[in-house]
Amino acid sequence: MVLRKSPQTLKEMVDASQRAYDETGCYAGIMDLEAKESDPLKYELFHSRILSSLISGRETTRMISASPFVREVAELCIGIYTPEGDNIAQSTGIQVHIATMGEVIKWMINNEYETKVGIADGDLFCSNDNSIAGLHPADVYDILPIFWKDELVAWVCTVIMEIDIGSVNPPCMAVPNVERATDGIRICAEKIGSRDEIRRDFEIRIERTIGMYQTFLLDRKGAVAANIRVREETKNLIGEFGLDYFRQTTRELIEDERRTQLARIKQRMVPGRYRNVTAVELYLKDQPVSWLPGKVDTVRLMPVEMTVEPSGTLSIDFDGTGEWGWHSMNATESGVRGGLSIGLVQSMCYDGRANLGSLLPCQLNVPIDTVLNPSRVLELPTANIWTSTIQVFNHWLTLIGSAFYLRGYREEVFGFRTSFGFQASGYNQHGMKGAFLPVAIAGYIGGCARGVADGVDMGAAYYTPEPDIGNFEVWEMFFPNLDLYRRIDPFSVGHGRFRSGASMNGIWTPHLSQFLMVSSAMGGGAVRLLDNTALFGGYPSGRGCTMSLSQTNIKETVEAGNPLVLDIGHPAHLEFPKHVEGQLTVHDKIVIPAEVHEGDLLITITPSGSGLGDPLDRRPESVLPDLENGFTTEEITRSIYGIEVEFNEPTEKWEIDEMTTTINREDKRKQRLARGVPMRQWWGNARQRIMEKEIDPLLKDMYQSSMKMSANYTQEYRDFWALPDEFVF
Amino acid sequence: MSYSKEDLRDLYNGTLPWGQVKEIMSNPKDDDRFDKYIEILQESVLWEERILMPLGEHIFVVEKDGERITKCDCGHEFGDWRQNWKLNALIYVRDDRVKLEEIYPGIRCPDPDICEVREYYCPGCGALLKVESVPVGHPPLFEILPDIDVFYREWLGTPLKHEKEFKDRTYEVTREWGKET
C-alpha cells in the first residue's frame, strides 16, 4: 500500500541525504544557505512560526492530558522532522527525546513501513520501544506524518512520559527488572490509528493491559491533538511560503545550525582532551529475581573522554565502560545520543535553534556490549536506561564546563545531579490499582556550582530546562499519599568557592490505600559511590538515599491533637526519630518493593550538584544570606569554609569575625600541608594494594569487566600503576 | 560585543551584580574574551612567566625558558604540562568513615569500602586544587590536557614560538616510578 506519490521513496530520500552529507560534509549537501542569505527576515519569520506552532502544540497537550506528569511538570516535548526523520525544530520540554524520535522515524522508513505498513495522511504511529530508539519505555512517542496534497513533507512527534506502562514492579521505571517482558507494554513503532483517530482496538488493548489506562489514553489524545495542531499550522506555512521554500528552508535550518554549532565550539572552547569517570551500581544478589542470572551485585565503570578536535568537532568516547548485565540499567546507543542531545541544548544550543544540526559536529563512540550499548538489548530490561545515561552525561558536563572555563567563558560552566526518591504501586484512594511516581522530586534538586555563581537552588534537572515541582495538592489527587514535609537541607550542598545549589528533602505517608508498595526511583547510578562532578577544588555533595520509619505512632499523635515534628535535622543526628516512634531503616536503595502502610514515613534525602573552587576561597560575605536562608549552618561555615560567624542578638543578624576567619583559613591550609603526602609516596602504597588485589570484590569485577571490554583502558591502567603486562584482577 | 576587564574580573570573583551576569550569559559572546581573561590572570600573579592557559582556579600552563610547565599562582611548579600535575601535588585520601564524615556526616557519607575522596593540594600554598571521588583503585584522572599549539596557531591565528608535541606524558613518570620500586 503506497499512498505517497513522490518520485522518490522515503528510503531513497534517507539514503540520498546521507550520501550528500558524506560527500560534502554539509547536511543534505546544502553548500549555500540560499533562503537565509537571500531574505534573512523571511527566514527568521519562517523559523519563528515553526517554533511557535510547536510550543503552542505543547501547551495544547497540557490542557487535554489528565496526567500530573504533563499538567504539573510538563514531562513532554514536540519536534518537527524532515521526511527523512531529521529534526528541524523542537519545543521546550524534555528535549532529550528530540534526536531519538527522529531515529524512530528512520527505523520505520528503513523497515519498509512505506510499503509494508503504509504511511498515509492522518495515520497515527506510536512507539515506546527503546530498543528501536528512545530513553526508558515510560517515554511514549506519538508520531504523525504531514502531507501536502499527496506528498509526505514532514513529521511531527510528541513525547510524553507515562506514569504507568503496565510494568511488573512499581511503576514506570521499574528497578528490579531482569527481563525485558517485565518492563511493561511495548509499542513498537505501531500504527495505532488513521484519519486522526486512535483505533478502538488499540484503546481496548491499553484498557486491558495498563492499570492507569485513563491517563495513558488521555495522554495519547493530548499528543495527537498537539500533533494535529502543528500539522495544520505547517500546512498554513506551506500555503503562505510555498512548498519549495518549505522543503529548502527546513533543511537549511539544519545545515545552518550545524555551522553555528561548529562556530560555537570554536568560539567557546579550547581544543584538547577532557576526561572524567563514573560508575553505576545495582545490588540484586540478595534479592529475589525472576531470571537467576540477574541475581548478582553489579558495579560498572563508565569513563567518558571528550576530544575537542582541531576542526571544532567533538569526539565523545565511552571506551573502558564495563559490560551489560541482567539488570535494568542497560542503556542503548540511541539513549546515549538522547543524553547528548539534551546536554547540548542545556549547555550550548539554548537559543531556540537546536535541531539535528546541533548534533552533527559530535561523534559518539559507545562500544558495543558495554552497559551503554548491549547487542542483546532485545532480551534485556531497559527500564532504567536513564540511570546510566544521565549518570554519564552529568559527568560529561564537567568536561564541556572545563572547556568553557579554559576559554574564559566561566559564566557557561554548570552541571547537574539527578533526583532520588520513591516510586510505588498498589491501590489509590479511589480503590483503583495503579502506579505512582511523584516526579515532583525532579524539582527538589540543586545544581552544580556555576563558574561565576553558586548553583541553582532546587529546580536544576538535566533532562528538562524547566523542572517544576508542580502543585502538591494535585499530586495528592492522583496518588494515595500525604505530603508531610519539605525543607531545604544545608547538608545537601557540594562545597566550594561557589557552592552547589541546595536541595530539598521530603517526607510523605501513604493515605487511604488498601495496599501500597514502594521501591526506589533511580534517577542516577551512584548509590555507595559519589558523583565525581566537582571542579577545581570544590567538593561533590554527599550521597542521596531513602529512609523509612515504619510502625509509627503518627495516628495516635494526630488523634490526640499533638504536634507532628518531622524535621530531618542533622544527617548524623536525625531529628524526627526523637519525636516519632517507629522502626527506622536507611536504604541505599529499595530494589525489591516493600509494603508500606498509612502512618509509615517515606523519606527522601536528596543529593545536590558539586561545588567549584577551594571552599577556603569563598567570599566570607557569601555565607551571610546562606545562613539567613537556611542554605548553610554555623557548623559548616566554620568547619568547611573556615569562616567565623556570630549571631548578633540585638540586630538579629549574622556577623563575620574577619580576624578569626583569616587565622582559621591559614590554619586549615597548614593542616593540609601537614596531612598531605607526596603523590609518589601514595602511589607506591596504592600500587602495592592493587598488586596484592586488596580491593573490594565488587570493584575487582568492575575493573575486570572494563579491562575485558577495552585494550586501551587495560593498558592505561597498567601503565599508571606500573603493573606487569599480564596483570588482571 | 566587549566587556571591560573590571567587569570580567568581578564576574570571575562572583561580585558582579546578577543583572549584569545575566546579561553576559544571554548576550552573544564577546570575541576578545580570551585575551582579556589571560591579562586578568596574568595581573593576579606575582611571577613573570607568560600564562598560556588556565587549568583551574590556581594553576596555569605557563611558558618558562622555552618549555611549558604547570604552575600555581603561589609560584610552585608542577613540571611539564603534559604530565598530570597531580603527580607533583600532595594528596590526602578520605578512605574511612571518620575522614569522610568530616565532609559528609551521617547518612550523607559514601561507602569507604568502594569509594574514596581524594584531595590534591599545592605543596607551595596548601590550596585545594582538585577533589576527586572515584572507586578505590582508580588511577587519578588527568582531566584536562589542552592542545595549546592547535589553539594558538589554528584557532587564534597567533602561533607560539616553541611548539610542543601534543601527548600525554603521565605514564613516562609512573613507569619510571615503577622501575624504582
Side-chain angles (χ1 to χ4, degrees), chain A residues 135-173:
Chain A
L135 276 297
H136 47 216
D139 294 320
V140 181
Y141 299 169
D142 287 282
I143 303 169
L144 179 74
I146 301 177
F147 280 77
W148 178 258
K149 297 180 182 167
D150 289 334
E151 180 182 342
L152 192 156
V153 292
W155 301 83
V156 54
C157 308
T158 295
V159 52
I160 296 178
M161 183 178 175
E162 292 300 326
I163 297 174
D164 188 356
I165 55 168
S167 65
V168 170
N169 286 291
C172 55
M173 296 168 67

Side-chain angles (χ1 to χ4, degrees), chain A residues 13-279:
Chain A
M13 291 173 74
V14 167
D15 293 344
S17 179
Q18 185 62 48
R19 251 192 330 272
Y21 179 63
D22 293 342
E23 287 166 6
T24 63
C26 297
Y27 173 74
I30 295 173
M31 306 295 285
D32 300 312
L33 302 178
E34 291 168 15
K36 182 180 181 181
E37 284 158 11
S38 63
D39 191 342
L41 286 180
K42 184 179 176 185
Y43 180 80
E44 292 300 325
L45 177 65
F46 179 80
H47 175 259
S48 65
R49 287 279 299 277
I50 289 179
L51 195 61
S52 62
S53 76
L54 295 170
I55 293 170
S56 68
R58 178 171 178 262
E59 293 308 308
T60 301
T61 310
R62 293 185 75 174
M63 295 303 105
I64 292 171
S65 170
S67 164
F69 275 26
V70 174
R71 293 183 75 95
E72 297 300 304
V73 186
E75 284 267 331
L76 77 158
C77 190
I78 306 181
I80 187 168
Y81 298 80
T82 67
E84 301 91 342
D86 298 331
N87 181 247
I88 302 161
Q90 53 193 273
S91 76
T92 49
I94 44 174
Q95 290 159 302
V96 65
H97 298 278
I98 287 300
T100 55
M101 288 197 289
E103 289 170 20
V104 175
I105 295 170
K106 281 190 192 298
W107 186 90
M108 289 163 58
I109 293 170
N110 288 328
N111 280 274
E112 301 177 62
Y113 270 43
E114 216 179 356
T115 52
K116 295 189 174 169
V117 180
I119 302 170
D121 198 1
D123 280 352
L124 310 176
F125 295 89
C126 187
S127 188
N128 78 328
D129 185 350
N130 56 0
S131 63
I132 293 173
L135 276 297
H136 47 216
D139 294 320
V140 181
Y141 299 169
D142 287 282
I143 303 169
L144 179 74
I146 301 177
F147 280 77
W148 178 258
K149 297 180 182 167
D150 289 334
E151 180 182 342
L152 192 156
V153 292
W155 301 83
V156 54
C157 308
T158 295
V159 52
I160 296 178
M161 183 178 175
E162 292 300 326
I163 297 174
D164 188 356
I165 55 168
S167 65
V168 170
N169 286 291
C172 55
M173 296 168 67
V175 176
N177 293 3
V178 291
E179 291 181 282
R180 175 177 160 96
T182 51
D183 280 353
I185 194 166
R186 293 278 179 175
I187 305 164
C188 308
E190 180 177 329
K191 189 190 282 191
I192 64 163
S194 55
R195 298 184 189 86
D196 294 347
E197 279 197 33
I198 297 171
R199 277 202 331 253
R200 180 62 194 139
D201 54 343
F202 176 76
E203 292 179 337
I204 289 169
R205 178 150 72 96
I206 299 302
E207 287 167 3
R208 302 179 74 85
T209 307
I210 295 175
M212 297 176 77
Y213 64 88
Q214 304 98 326
T215 50
F216 190 97
L217 288 174
L218 266 176
D219 281 350
R220 300 287 70 69
K221 289 177 180 175
V224 168
N227 287 347
I228 290 171
R229 185 172 182 139
V230 173
R231 181 188 67 194
E232 295 309 307
E233 178 59 14
T234 303
K235 287 182 177 177
N236 290 339
L237 267 180
I238 295 172
E240 288 177 40
F241 288 79
L243 183 58
D244 287 343
Y245 187 87
F246 181 86
R247 284 196 194 110
Q248 169 70 19
T249 309
T250 47
R251 289 170 173 86
E252 251 189 62
L253 283 166
I254 298 173
E255 171 58 15
D256 190 11
E257 172 62 11
R258 185 192 70 80
R259 296 179 188 190
T260 305
Q261 178 71 325
L262 270 173
R264 287 189 197 107
I265 294 168
K266 292 192 87 163
Q267 183 190 45
R268 300 181 190 186
M269 296 190 187
V270 168
R273 190 192 75 185
Y274 302 82
R275 286 182 158 184
N276 203 344
V277 71
T278 184

Side-chain angles (χ1 to χ4, degrees), chain A residues 265-277 279 281 283 301 308-312 350 402 405-412 450-453 489 491-492 495 497-498 505 528-532 534-545 547 570-572 574 586 605-607 612-615 617 619 640 669 672-673 675-680 682-683 687 690 695-696 698-699 702-703 713 716-717 719-722, chain B residues 11-15 18 21 24-26 28-34 37 41 53-58 84 86-95 100-148 150-151 154-156 166 168 170-171 174-181:
Chain A
I265 294 168
K266 292 192 87 163
Q267 183 190 45
R268 300 181 190 186
M269 296 190 187
V270 168
R273 190 192 75 185
Y274 302 82
R275 286 182 158 184
N276 203 344
V277 71
E281 310 164 52
Y283 300 99
L301 200 67
V308 182
E309 306 284 0
S311 62
Y350 41 72
S402 298
Y405 186 98
L406 263 56
R407 193 66 185 262
Y409 296 112
R410 292 193 195 177
E411 70 275 13
E412 299 296 327
R450 292 168 286 187
V452 296
D489 184 357
F491 294 94
S492 67
H495 306 295
R497 179 165 82 88
F498 296 117
N505 298 326
R528 295 160 62 192
L529 292 157
L530 293 184
D531 282 9
N532 185 42
L535 288 172
F536 313 134
Y539 285 93
S541 86
R543 71 175 199 137
C545 67
M547 297 189 288
H570 192 287
L574 299 172
V586 179
I605 303 295
T606 314
L612 183 148
D614 186 344
D617 291 339
R619 284 191 314 118
I640 305 288
R669 289 191 182 95
R672 288 173 179 172
L673 292 172
R675 73 186 176 213
V677 298
M679 189 66 175
R680 171 74 178 81
W682 175 81
W683 177 91
R687 176 177 182 272
I690 289 164
I695 62 170
D696 190 284
L698 265 176
L699 297 188
M702 178 194 79
Y703 287 124
Y713 184 83
E716 291 205 25
Y717 194 89
D719 282 346
F720 183 81
W721 295 115
Chain B
L11 175 73
Y12 299 149
N13 287 339
T15 52
W18 175 248
V21 174
I24 291 173
M25 285 176 165
S26 301
K29 291 301 174 201
D30 39 326
D31 283 329
D32 63 351
R33 176 73 69 93
F34 187 73
Y37 186 38
L41 297 174
M53 186 75 64
L55 290 178
E57 296 268 279
H58 288 275
N84 192 346
K86 291 174 182 172
L87 299 184
N88 288 304
L90 295 177
I91 182 171
Y92 178 69
V93 183
R94 297 184 185 274
D95 52 6
L100 284 164
E101 290 214 26
E102 288 173 356
I103 310 292
Y104 306 109
I107 52 175
R108 292 284 180 186
C109 188
D111 184 346
D113 286 344
I114 64 169
C115 178
E116 62 186 30
V117 175
R118 302 171 185 161
E119 298 176 359
Y120 296 94
Y121 308 135
C122 171
C125 63
L128 178 55
L129 303 176
K130 173 69 187 173
V131 180
E132 186 176 79
S133 163
V134 289
V136 174
H138 200 279
L141 288 161
F142 191 6
E143 287 98 350
I144 302 172
L145 180 60
D147 193 342
I148 291 176
V150 160
F151 178 62
E154 298 180 25
W155 288 29
L156 296 184
F166 178 63
D168 183 347
T170 301
Y171 305 127
T174 53
R175 283 191 209 108
E176 283 304 309
W177 287 358
K179 288 177 192 167
E180 295 163 14
T181 303

Side-chain angles (χ1 to χ4, degrees), chain B residues 74-86:
Chain B
C74 75
H76 182 83
E77 296 177 355
F78 291 82
D80 191 318
W81 106 100
R82 293 166 296 183
Q83 294 163 357
N84 192 346
W85 58 268
K86 291 174 182 172

Side-chain angles (χ1 to χ4, degrees), chain A residues 540-556:
Chain A
S541 86
R543 71 175 199 137
C545 67
T546 52
M547 297 189 288
S548 57
L549 193 73
S550 54
Q551 298 167 5
T552 70
N553 62 340
I554 282 184
K555 190 178 175 197
E556 294 77 7

